[in-house]
Structure formats: structure tokens, C-alpha cells
């Protein structure tokens, strides 16, 4: 487990002492006190390795919330394993803990199904869906594939040899997107050599090391590597081109694929209405800040904000969608 720890400096300790001496009125100023969004001791779990989409989302939302003075001293920690279901099980076991939340998305929905997890997202408290983004099809800069057509042609000829990597377990977005690509390219899904990684950070190392033929992941995870030229972007899976990036959609290239991923936040079961409402309020306030809007634009994320029961209904529908797609693919 990798923990993010804030060190107390002498200056910070002096400031804390002055606040105590000044009396209770000063203790309510700033960092979410006025809006009721500060949750003392709040921790945000990332259920995969550092550098992946859940990790980037969690650290960005915490940084932006603290920058907007909605809260303070929030710890982000990683608990990877089994496509996010190790973290999911931990979250569900923390029943009634209003000081814990988990960054998650479609990948955890799929992993819970493919790993036959005893805990599911139906066992959690839905807080908010935050963002949506297309996946990208990428190769290393020295890859022989210069275009999506070149890649698909080689994949068709030898699907077992041209392996595809994704940062999610079977049933997750990085698995479902290339499986739908295979369908569109007339490649039998059972012939696809899909290599799962526990998050985008591990996947990146394998793409750059030429250990897999190509990778599929969220645009926000690899934007820096694409812009620096470390990765070559061949296509995006969504209905529109990614802003600022020179690559076609799969539909433009002649492959009938329209696929987007999403990310959000859930909490343990058994929260009081007050605890749940406070977590929702924190993300509602964050959603309206310039800090968060800037981060969404910088990471190529689309706004997909949805809270509470509506998010819970969406999670149930996504679970059924994963089941239906896996059945359709014969998986």
C-alpha cells in the first residue's frame, strides 16, 4: 500500500497552536468550514496502482478541493489488486465509516463480475459520477504501426501474436473497448490475446517496453506521453476526436465502435444520511470550482456529474451492460 502522508512543519504546528489560543470562532474559518464540506480525517482509497486513471482522478480531486479551500488534509492511498475488487472488499468492510471514499469507475464494475467478487458496487453508498472520457489506442513511438489500419491489418492476420494490453480486468473498459474493436474488425473475440494490468501505470511500462502489441486506456492517463511523443496515438474510441490530438475516431477509420469510460466516487455501506450528504456536498461544491473545470480540460475529461440515487441507478444499469456485453462476446 502506498500512502500519501503530509508532514507537519514547525510553521504548521505554530499555526495550529495559534488557532487553539485564539478560541473556537477561528476554528470555523476556511477549508470547507463555511460550506460544511470539510470532513476531518477523510481518506480516499485508490483501488489500483499509482499512475492509473483512478489514481489521477483521486489525487486531482483532492488537490483541487484543497486548492478551493473546500477541505484540507485529505489522505489518498493505494490498495491495488484483482482489478479493484481488493479495494472494493475493503470499502464494504468499513461499514458506517463516513471518513472513507473510493475512486472507481467502469473497471471495478467489470472486475466484480469477472472475478466473481463477493462484494459488489450494490453494497456501497453511491456518492457521485464525475467524468467521462474516450479510450485511446496507443503504441510505443518505435512501433511498426503508424496508422490504425496498419495495426488492424496485422491484428487480423495474427490476433494471438499482436497482444493488446489494458489497465482493467476482463469486463472493464480497457477490455471491453478492444473486444468491440475486434468485433468491428471481424476478429473472433476468443482469438484476442488480452493482457490485463492493474491500472494504467503498469500498462504504460509494458507498452513502452514493447512487451505488448498495443494498449487501450483512458485519454487522460496518457495525455502527457502522447504529447511528448513517447506514445503514438492511432485512434480514439469515442464518437468525437479528442480535443488537441491528431487522431481519428474508430468510426472515422471505418470501424463501428463508440465507447467511453467514466469515473466516480463511492463510500462504505451503512452511512448516516448526514455523512452521505456531506460527501455529496463536497463533490457538488468541487464540481463548480474553476480548479476542477481546469483539471477536466487539461486531462481531456468530459463532465458527467451525477449524484446520489441517480448515480446508484446508473451503477445498476452499468452492471447489467457489462453482463450483456460479456454474454454477447461469448466471455
Amino acid at each position: 500500500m502506498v500512502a500519501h502522508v503530509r508532514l507537519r512543519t514547525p510553521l504548521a504546528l505554530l499555526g495550529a497552536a495559534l488557532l487553539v489560543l485564539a478560541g473556537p470562532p477561528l476554528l470555523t474559518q476556511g477549508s470547507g468550514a463555511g460550506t460544511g464540506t470539510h470532513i476531518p480525517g477523510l481518506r480516499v482509497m485508490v483501488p489500483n496502482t499509482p499512475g492509473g486513471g483512478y489514481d489521477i482522478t483521486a489525487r486531482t480531486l483532492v488537490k483541487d478541493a484543497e486548492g478551493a479551500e473546500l477541505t484540507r488534509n485529505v489522505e489518498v492511498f493505494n490498495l491495488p489488486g484483482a482489478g479493484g475488487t481488493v479495494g472494493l472488499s475493503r470499502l464494504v468492510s468499513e461499514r458506517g465509516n463516513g471518513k472513507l471514499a473510493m475512486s472507481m469507475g467502469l473497471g471495478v464494475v467489470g472486475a466484480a463480475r469477472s472475478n466473481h467478487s463477493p462484494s459488489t458496487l450494490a453494497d456501497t453508498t453511491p456518492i457521485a459520477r464525475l467524468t467521462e472520457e474516450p479510450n485511446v489506442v496507443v503504441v510505443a513511438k518505435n512501433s511498426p504501426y503508424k496508422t490504425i489500419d496498419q495495426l488492424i491489418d496485422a491484428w487480423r492476420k495474427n490476433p494471438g501474436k499482436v497482444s493488446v494490453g489494458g489497465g482493467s480486468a476482463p469486463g472493464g473498459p480497457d477490455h471491453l473497448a478492444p473486444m468491440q474493436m475486434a468485433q468491428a474488425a471481424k476478429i473472433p473475440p476468443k482469438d484476442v490475446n488480452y493482457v490485463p494490468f492493474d491500472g494504467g501505470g503498469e500498462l504504460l511500462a509494458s507498452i513502452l517496453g514493447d512487451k505488448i502489441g498495443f494498449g487501450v486506456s483512458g485519454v487522460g492517463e496518457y495525455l502527457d506521453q502522447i504529447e511528448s511523443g513517447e506514445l503514438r496515438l492511432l485512434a480514439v474510441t469515442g464518437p468525437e476526436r479528442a480535443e488537441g490530438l491528431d487522431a481519428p475516431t474508430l468510426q472515422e477509420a471505418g470501424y463501428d465502435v463508440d465507447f467511453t469510460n467514466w469515473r466516480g466516487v463511492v463510500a462504505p455501506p451503512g452511512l448516516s444520511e448526514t455523512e452521505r450528504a456531506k460527501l455529496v456536498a463536497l463533490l457538488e461544491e468541487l464540481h463548480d470550482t474553476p480548479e476542477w473545470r481546469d483539471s477536466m480540460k487539461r486531462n481531456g475529461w468530459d463532465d458527467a456529474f451525477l449524484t446520489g440515487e441517480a448515480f446508484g441507478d446508473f451503477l445498476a444499469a452499468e452492471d447489467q451492460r457489462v453482463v450483456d456485453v460479456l454474454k454477447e462476446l461469448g466471455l
Side-chain angles (χ1 to χ4, degrees):
M1 181 176 71
V2 178
H4 179 66
V5 180
R6 294 180 178 275
L7 298 177
R8 290 184 178 271
T9 63
L11 185 59
L13 292 171
L14 176 60
L18 289 174
L19 284 173
V20 172
L21 291 172
L26 285 179
L27 291 173
T28 64
Q29 302 301 308
S31 296
T35 58
T37 55
H38 177 50
I39 303 171
L42 177 63
R43 306 173 78 214
V44 178
M45 183 199 307
V46 176
N48 61 12
T49 54
Y54 302 150
D55 188 67
I56 293 170
T57 302
R59 295 182 190 280
T60 300
L61 76 86
V62 167
K63 177 177 176 291
D64 290 348
E66 292 183 346
E69 296 190 344
L70 298 177
T71 190
R72 59 186 182 274
N73 299 334
V74 179
E75 179 191 349
V76 178
F77 69 100
N78 298 78
L79 184 62
T85 56
V86 170
L88 176 61
S89 295
R90 163 73 179 275
L91 187 82
V92 171
S93 74
E94 295 269 351
R95 184 176 185 85
N97 184 355
K99 298 180 184 298
L100 180 64
M102 185 176 83
S103 175
M104 50 72 70
L106 179 56
V108 177
V109 179
R113 279 291 176 181
S114 61
N115 292 331
H116 306 291
S117 171
S119 298
T120 72
L121 287 163
D123 299 321
T124 70
T125 299
I127 301 301
R129 184 183 68 189
L130 298 173
T131 62
E132 185 177 48
E133 65 174 348
N135 275 29
V136 289
V137 181
V138 293
V139 294
K141 63 182 178 182
N142 58 350
S143 168
Y145 311 123
K146 302 288 198 288
T147 68
I148 188 64
D149 284 332
Q150 289 178 353
L151 171 63
I152 296 291
D153 286 345
W155 199 23
R156 278 197 189 110
K157 290 174 184 174
N158 197 337
K161 184 177 179 182
V162 182
S163 58
V164 50
S168 57
D174 298 356
H175 173 249
L176 296 179
M179 286 301 176
Q180 291 185 14
M181 285 174 58
Q183 270 192 320
K186 310 300 183 189
I187 300 170
K190 64 181 177 59
D191 292 343
V192 173
N193 181 10
Y194 176 75
V195 183
F197 294 86
D198 206 353
E202 290 186 359
L203 171 62
L204 177 62
S206 287
I207 301 172
L208 295 177
D210 291 321
K211 295 179 180 178
I212 54 176
F214 67 102
V216 176
S217 194
V219 62
E221 294 180 63
Y222 292 158
L223 199 56
D224 290 344
Q225 289 80 12
I226 292 168
E227 291 178 341
S228 71
E230 288 183 81
L231 292 177
R232 181 183 300 143
L233 175 61
L234 300 184
V236 296
T237 66
E240 298 177 356
R241 290 190 175 211
E243 185 177 350
L245 298 178
D246 184 21
T249 66
L250 286 168
Q251 289 183 329
E252 281 181 77
Y255 307 100
D256 187 18
V257 177
D258 179 355
F259 184 91
T260 54
N261 186 20
W262 56 268
R263 296 194 181 94
V265 174
V266 294
L271 299 194
S272 69
E273 179 56 30
T274 299
E275 289 170 324
R276 186 201 65 82
K278 200 158 188 175
L279 284 166
V280 170
L282 173 59
L283 295 181
E284 284 177 337
E285 292 286 339
L286 171 68
H287 175 254
D288 294 331
T289 64
E291 288 88 349
W292 181 246
R293 287 195 294 270
D294 289 346
S295 290
M296 284 199 298
K297 184 174 182 179
R298 184 173 61 254
N299 287 291
W301 297 336
D302 295 322
D303 190 7
F305 196 64
L306 189 67
T307 63
E309 290 185 13
F311 180 40
D313 292 341
F314 171 79
L315 287 177
E318 285 294 271
D319 182 59
Q320 188 59 52
R321 178 166 78 106
V322 166
V323 171
D324 292 344
V325 170
L326 290 176
K327 284 182 179 177
E328 182 185 344
L329 294 173
L331 301 172

